[in-house]
Amino acid sequence: MMKLAAFVLPIFLASVVFSGCAVGPNYKPPHADAPPSWVGLTNATTASGSVATAATADLTNWWKKFNDPSLVSLIDDGFRTNLDLKIAESVLRQARAQRNVAAGPLYPSFAGAGSYLRGVPNEYEAGLDAVWELDIFGGTRRNVESANATIVAQQENLHDVRVTLSAEIALDYIQLRSYQEQIGIARANLDSEERTARLTRQKLAAGFVSALDVANAEAQVATTEATIPVLQTSARQTIYALSLLLSRPPGDLVEELSKPGPVPLTPPEVPIGLPSDLVRRRPDIREAEAQLHAATAQIGVAEANYFPQFSLTGSAGYESDLARTLFAGPSRFWQVGPTMTWNIFQGGALTANVKVQRELTTQAYLTYRKTVLTALEEVENELVAFANEWNHRQSLNEAVVQNRKAVDLSNQLYAQGTIDFLTVLDAERSLYASETALSQSKESISTDLVSLYKALGGGWE
């Protein structure tokens, strides 16, 4: 017994001494090359002032800034019911369970066994086996470290799904309201054009205009009327898309959303923070960093295979050639002792595996850098689009005002017989085009802002 203790004790003490050490590189967070400021901020100005600032703001519930209760309700429902979100939650739970699998070898394992062999003599056996692998070189701890980093990556993936979901719901909702507004514009212009067509037919009957004017008037009515079914189709399909995001049958939201509503208006100024804030906030960047951490730890797992593995094993139980004496005192046995295995030569597989893990770490680092650069580009793109669309909308506003004046004046002059019908027709076409363009610009401003919030990583705590 003393000899056994003298052999086991040094191995146990070595495991304690080396328990704080592990082979392989220690993870160091990468440096993100974020610029000091946004290029687009210098151009994000309109006649009324700046539309974006470098001030930091809470973007957790950015959709509430649109002051649209229906939008808020849809996004809240999406967070509760969306299937992609539930899948991401399941993957996170899986990663947490996988971490426990990776940590299992850090603790002793026990297994019960029993057997019966018929022969001369018969053999009965029942017992308990125990194995404890001593993680002297840290391979198991590196594996647990990698598993912990994977949990962080899946947490950030869940956050990223939430960011994407809130943006997709908002984009579809804004598009729906824009389609409904364009349907209203088409119908209003259709009413005006039908009145003009009636007046033209009256003038034809009185002999003041030709049949060509009537044909042009009725053609314009038919052209405007033809746009309405296309817009109605797009509106209905957008409602179906929203239903899918909320994991509901396509028709569930038709009654609720078919009643037209205004396009959500954007706030006059948007605080976007600094590029360094983006690196800390965007969940896809944080996920890429966690994946880099996980890959780095796997190098240590691979390098640990270079070294011997020590285990403490033991077994105890009963063994007898008669069933009735199996649990008698003389049938008892036990044994305990250390074991060692060492993969001395495997045809270069160990070295190759370390090289594989190092290359995977390099790829994870490059992916992290690309993710940061992509995020910076997305913000700059959306910032310039948002600012320029403000200027675009201001010009369209003025165009609509002037075109309405032109239509009113041309209708008055046409009724008095001082201008021909083509002048009226051109005025009506210009008004319809400018009103439609203004509606689309309002949609673009709102969708650009949603895309900007998404690019900034807004939508999670």
Side-chain angles (χ1 to χ4, degrees), residues 367-411:
T367 299
Y368 169 80
R369 286 190 58 195
K370 181 179 179 181
T371 304
V372 172
L373 291 173
T374 300
L376 293 170
E377 183 207 19
E378 288 178 357
V379 173
E380 293 286 9
N381 284 341
E382 300 305 333
L383 185 58
V384 69
F386 178 60
N388 286 336
E389 196 59 45
W390 270 88
N391 292 324
H392 185 211
R393 187 176 70 172
Q394 288 174 337
S395 298
L396 288 173
N397 267 321
E398 182 61 22
V400 168
V401 170
Q402 297 304 322
N403 281 325
R404 283 174 179 165
K405 290 180 180 178
V407 168
D408 291 341
L409 183 59
S410 64
N411 281 327

Coordinates of all heavy atoms in Angstrom, one line a residue, residues 367-411:
T367 N -11.6 36.7 -40.8 CA -13.0 36.9 -40.8 C -13.5 38.1 -39.9 O -14.3 38.9 -40.2 CB -13.7 35.6 -40.4 OG1 -13.4 34.6 -41.3 CG2 -15.3 35.8 -40.3
Y368 N -12.8 38.1 -38.7 CA -13.1 39.2 -37.8 C -12.8 40.6 -38.4 O -13.6 41.5 -38.3 CB -12.3 39.0 -36.5 CG -12.3 40.2 -35.6 CD1 -13.4 40.4 -34.7 CD2 -11.2 41.1 -35.6 CE1 -13.4 41.6 -33.9 CE2 -11.3 42.3 -34.7 CZ -12.3 42.5 -33.9 OH -12.4 43.5 -33.1
R369 N -11.6 40.7 -39.0 CA -11.2 41.9 -39.7 C -12.2 42.3 -40.8 O -12.6 43.5 -40.9 CB -9.8 41.8 -40.2 CG -8.7 41.8 -39.2 CD -7.3 42.0 -39.9 NE -7.3 43.2 -40.7 CZ -6.3 43.4 -41.6 NH1 -5.4 42.5 -41.8 NH2 -6.3 44.5 -42.3
K370 N -12.6 41.3 -41.6 CA -13.5 41.6 -42.6 C -14.9 42.0 -42.1 O -15.5 42.9 -42.6 CB -13.7 40.3 -43.5 CG -14.6 40.5 -44.7 CD -14.8 39.3 -45.5 CE -15.7 39.5 -46.7 NZ -15.9 38.3 -47.5
T371 N -15.3 41.4 -41.0 CA -16.6 41.8 -40.4 C -16.6 43.2 -39.9 O -17.6 44.0 -40.1 CB -16.9 40.8 -39.2 OG1 -16.9 39.5 -39.7 CG2 -18.3 41.1 -38.6
V372 N -15.5 43.6 -39.3 CA -15.3 45.0 -38.9 C -15.4 46.0 -40.0 O -16.1 47.0 -40.0 CB -14.0 45.2 -38.1 CG1 -13.8 46.7 -37.8 CG2 -14.0 44.4 -36.8
L373 N -14.6 45.7 -41.1 CA -14.6 46.6 -42.2 C -16.0 46.6 -42.9 O -16.4 47.7 -43.4 CB -13.6 46.1 -43.2 CG -12.1 46.3 -42.8 CD1 -11.2 45.6 -43.8 CD2 -11.7 47.7 -42.6
T374 N -16.7 45.5 -43.0 CA -18.0 45.5 -43.6 C -19.0 46.3 -42.8 O -19.8 47.0 -43.4 CB -18.5 44.0 -43.7 OG1 -17.6 43.3 -44.5 CG2 -19.9 44.0 -44.3
A375 N -18.9 46.2 -41.5 CA -19.8 47.0 -40.6 C -19.5 48.5 -40.8 O -20.5 49.3 -40.9 CB -19.5 46.6 -39.2
L376 N -18.3 48.9 -40.9 CA -18.0 50.3 -41.1 C -18.5 50.8 -42.4 O -19.1 51.9 -42.5 CB -16.4 50.5 -41.0 CG -15.8 50.3 -39.7 CD1 -14.3 50.3 -39.8 CD2 -16.2 51.3 -38.6
E377 N -18.4 49.9 -43.5 CA -18.9 50.3 -44.8 C -20.4 50.5 -44.8 O -20.9 51.4 -45.4 CB -18.4 49.3 -45.8 CG -18.9 49.7 -47.2 CD -19.1 48.5 -48.1 OE1 -19.2 47.3 -47.6 OE2 -19.1 48.7 -49.3
E378 N -21.1 49.5 -44.1 CA -22.5 49.6 -44.1 C -23.0 50.9 -43.4 O -24.0 51.5 -43.9 CB -23.1 48.4 -43.3 CG -22.9 47.1 -44.1 CD -23.4 45.9 -43.3 OE1 -23.8 46.0 -42.1 OE2 -23.4 44.7 -43.9
V379 N -22.4 51.3 -42.3 CA -22.8 52.5 -41.7 C -22.6 53.7 -42.6 O -23.5 54.6 -42.7 CB -22.1 52.7 -40.3 CG1 -22.4 54.1 -39.7 CG2 -22.5 51.6 -39.4
E380 N -21.4 53.8 -43.2 CA -21.1 54.9 -44.1 C -22.1 54.9 -45.3 O -22.6 56.0 -45.6 CB -19.7 54.8 -44.6 CG -18.6 55.0 -43.6 CD -18.5 56.4 -43.1 OE1 -19.3 57.3 -43.5 OE2 -17.5 56.7 -42.4
N381 N -22.4 53.8 -45.8 CA -23.4 53.7 -46.9 C -24.7 54.2 -46.5 O -25.4 55.0 -47.2 CB -23.5 52.3 -47.5 CG -22.3 51.8 -48.3 OD1 -21.6 52.7 -48.8 ND2 -22.1 50.5 -48.5
E382 N -25.2 53.7 -45.4 CA -26.6 54.1 -45.0 C -26.6 55.6 -44.5 O -27.6 56.3 -44.7 CB -27.0 53.2 -43.8 CG -27.1 51.7 -44.2 CD -28.0 51.5 -45.4 OE1 -28.9 52.3 -45.7 OE2 -27.7 50.5 -46.1
L383 N -25.5 56.1 -44.0 CA -25.5 57.4 -43.5 C -25.6 58.4 -44.7 O -26.3 59.4 -44.7 CB -24.2 57.7 -42.7 CG -24.0 59.1 -42.1 CD1 -25.1 59.4 -41.1 CD2 -22.6 59.1 -41.4
V384 N -24.8 58.1 -45.8 CA -24.9 59.0 -46.9 C -26.2 58.9 -47.6 O -26.7 59.9 -48.1 CB -23.7 58.8 -47.9 CG1 -23.8 57.4 -48.6 CG2 -23.5 59.9 -48.9
A385 N -26.8 57.7 -47.7 CA -28.1 57.5 -48.3 C -29.1 58.2 -47.6 O -30.0 58.9 -48.2 CB -28.4 56.0 -48.4
F386 N -29.1 58.1 -46.2 CA -30.1 58.8 -45.4 C -30.0 60.3 -45.5 O -31.1 61.0 -45.7 CB -29.9 58.4 -43.9 CG -30.8 59.0 -43.0 CD1 -32.2 58.8 -43.1 CD2 -30.3 59.8 -41.9 CE1 -33.0 59.4 -42.1 CE2 -31.2 60.4 -41.0 CZ -32.5 60.2 -41.1
A387 N -28.8 60.9 -45.5 CA -28.7 62.3 -45.6 C -29.1 62.8 -47.0 O -29.8 63.9 -47.1 CB -27.2 62.7 -45.3
N388 N -28.7 62.2 -48.0 CA -29.0 62.6 -49.4 C -30.5 62.5 -49.7 O -31.1 63.3 -50.4 CB -28.2 61.9 -50.4 CG -26.7 62.3 -50.4 OD1 -26.4 63.4 -50.0 ND2 -25.8 61.5 -50.9
E389 N -31.1 61.5 -49.1 CA -32.6 61.3 -49.3 C -33.4 62.5 -48.7 O -34.4 62.8 -49.2 CB -33.1 60.0 -48.8 CG -34.4 59.5 -49.4 CD -34.4 59.5 -50.9 OE1 -33.5 58.9 -51.5 OE2 -35.4 59.9 -51.5
W390 N -32.8 63.0 -47.6 CA -33.5 64.2 -47.0 C -33.5 65.3 -48.0 O -34.6 66.0 -48.2 CB -32.7 64.6 -45.8 CG -33.2 64.0 -44.5 CD1 -32.8 62.8 -44.0 CD2 -34.3 64.5 -43.6 NE1 -33.5 62.6 -42.8 CE2 -34.4 63.6 -42.6 CE3 -35.1 65.7 -43.6 CZ2 -35.3 63.8 -41.5 CZ3 -36.0 65.8 -42.6 CH2 -36.1 64.9 -41.6
N391 N -32.4 65.6 -48.7 CA -32.3 66.7 -49.7 C -33.3 66.3 -50.9 O -33.9 67.2 -51.4 CB -30.9 66.8 -50.2 CG -30.0 67.4 -49.1 OD1 -30.4 68.2 -48.3 ND2 -28.8 67.0 -49.1
H392 N -33.3 65.0 -51.3 CA -34.1 64.6 -52.3 C -35.6 64.9 -52.0 O -36.4 65.4 -52.9 CB -33.9 63.1 -52.6 CG -34.6 62.6 -53.8 ND1 -35.1 61.3 -53.9 CD2 -35.0 63.2 -54.9 CE1 -35.7 61.1 -55.0 NE2 -35.7 62.2 -55.7
R393 N -36.0 64.5 -50.8 CA -37.4 64.7 -50.4 C -37.8 66.2 -50.4 O -38.9 66.6 -50.8 CB -37.7 64.1 -49.1 CG -39.2 64.1 -48.7 CD -39.5 63.4 -47.4 NE -39.0 64.1 -46.3 CZ -39.2 63.7 -45.0 NH1 -40.0 62.7 -44.8 NH2 -38.7 64.4 -44.0
Q394 N -36.9 67.1 -49.9 CA -37.2 68.5 -49.9 C -37.5 69.0 -51.3 O -38.4 69.8 -51.5 CB -36.0 69.2 -49.3 CG -35.9 69.0 -47.7 CD -34.7 69.6 -47.2 OE1 -33.7 69.9 -47.8 NE2 -34.7 69.9 -45.9
S395 N -36.7 68.6 -52.3 CA -36.9 69.0 -53.7 C -38.2 68.5 -54.2 O -39.0 69.2 -54.9 CB -35.7 68.5 -54.5 OG -34.5 69.1 -54.1
L396 N -38.5 67.2 -53.9 CA -39.8 66.6 -54.3 C -41.0 67.3 -53.7 O -42.0 67.5 -54.3 CB -39.8 65.1 -54.0 CG -38.9 64.2 -54.9 CD1 -38.9 62.8 -54.3 CD2 -39.4 64.3 -56.3
N397 N -40.9 67.7 -52.4 CA -41.9 68.5 -51.8 C -42.3 69.7 -52.6 O -43.5 70.0 -52.9 CB -41.5 68.9 -50.4 CG -42.0 67.9 -49.3 OD1 -43.1 67.3 -49.4 ND2 -41.2 67.6 -48.3
E398 N -41.2 70.4 -53.0 CA -41.5 71.7 -53.8 C -42.1 71.3 -55.1 O -42.9 72.1 -55.7 CB -40.1 72.4 -53.9 CG -40.2 73.7 -54.7 CD -41.1 74.7 -54.0 OE1 -41.3 74.6 -52.8 OE2 -41.6 75.6 -54.7
A399 N -41.6 70.2 -55.7 CA -42.1 69.8 -57.1 C -43.6 69.5 -57.0 O -44.4 69.9 -57.8 CB -41.4 68.6 -57.6
V400 N -44.0 68.8 -55.9 CA -45.5 68.5 -55.7 C -46.3 69.8 -55.6 O -47.4 69.9 -56.2 CB -45.7 67.6 -54.5 CG1 -47.1 67.4 -54.2 CG2 -45.1 66.2 -54.8
V401 N -45.8 70.7 -54.8 CA -46.5 72.0 -54.6 C -46.7 72.7 -55.9 O -47.8 73.2 -56.2 CB -45.8 72.9 -53.6 CG1 -46.4 74.3 -53.5 CG2 -45.8 72.3 -52.2
Q402 N -45.7 72.8 -56.7 CA -45.8 73.5 -57.9 C -46.6 72.8 -59.0 O -47.4 73.4 -59.7 CB -44.4 73.8 -58.5 CG -43.5 74.7 -57.6 CD -44.1 76.0 -57.3 OE1 -44.8 76.6 -58.2 NE2 -44.0 76.5 -56.1
N403 N -46.5 71.4 -59.0 CA -47.3 70.7 -59.9 C -48.8 70.7 -59.6 O -49.7 70.7 -60.5 CB -46.9 69.2 -59.9 CG -45.6 69.0 -60.8 OD1 -45.4 69.7 -61.8 ND2 -44.8 68.1 -60.3
R404 N -49.2 70.8 -58.3 CA -50.6 71.0 -57.9 C -51.1 72.3 -58.4 O -52.2 72.4 -58.9 CB -50.7 70.8 -56.4 CG -50.7 69.4 -56.0 CD -50.7 69.3 -54.5 NE -50.6 67.9 -54.0 CZ -50.3 67.5 -52.8 NH1 -50.1 68.4 -51.8 NH2 -50.3 66.2 -52.5
K405 N -50.3 73.3 -58.3 CA -50.7 74.6 -58.8 C -50.9 74.6 -60.3 O -51.8 75.2 -60.8 CB -49.6 75.7 -58.4 CG -49.5 76.0 -57.0 CD -48.4 77.1 -56.7 CE -48.3 77.4 -55.3 NZ -47.3 78.4 -55.0
A406 N -50.0 73.9 -61.0 CA -50.1 73.8 -62.4 C -51.3 73.1 -62.9 O -52.0 73.4 -63.8 CB -48.8 73.1 -63.0
V407 N -51.7 72.0 -62.2 CA -52.9 71.2 -62.5 C -54.1 72.1 -62.3 O -55.0 72.2 -63.1 CB -53.0 69.9 -61.7 CG1 -54.4 69.3 -61.8 CG2 -51.9 69.0 -62.2
D408 N -54.2 72.8 -61.1 CA -55.4 73.6 -60.9 C -55.5 74.7 -61.9 O -56.6 75.0 -62.4 CB -55.2 74.3 -59.5 CG -55.4 73.2 -58.4 OD1 -55.9 72.1 -58.6 OD2 -54.9 73.5 -57.2
L409 N -54.4 75.4 -62.2 CA -54.4 76.5 -63.2 C -54.8 76.0 -64.6 O -55.6 76.6 -65.3 CB -53.1 77.2 -63.2 CG -53.0 78.4 -64.1 CD1 -54.0 79.5 -63.7 CD2 -51.6 79.0 -64.0
S410 N -54.2 74.8 -65.0 CA -54.4 74.3 -66.3 C -55.9 73.9 -66.5 O -56.5 74.0 -67.5 CB -53.5 73.1 -66.6 OG -53.7 72.0 -65.8
N411 N -56.5 73.3 -65.4 CA -57.9 72.9 -65.5 C -58.8 74.1 -65.6 O -59.8 74.1 -66.4 CB -58.3 72.1 -64.2 CG -57.8 70.7 -64.3 OD1 -57.8 70.1 -65.4 ND2 -57.5 70.1 -63.1

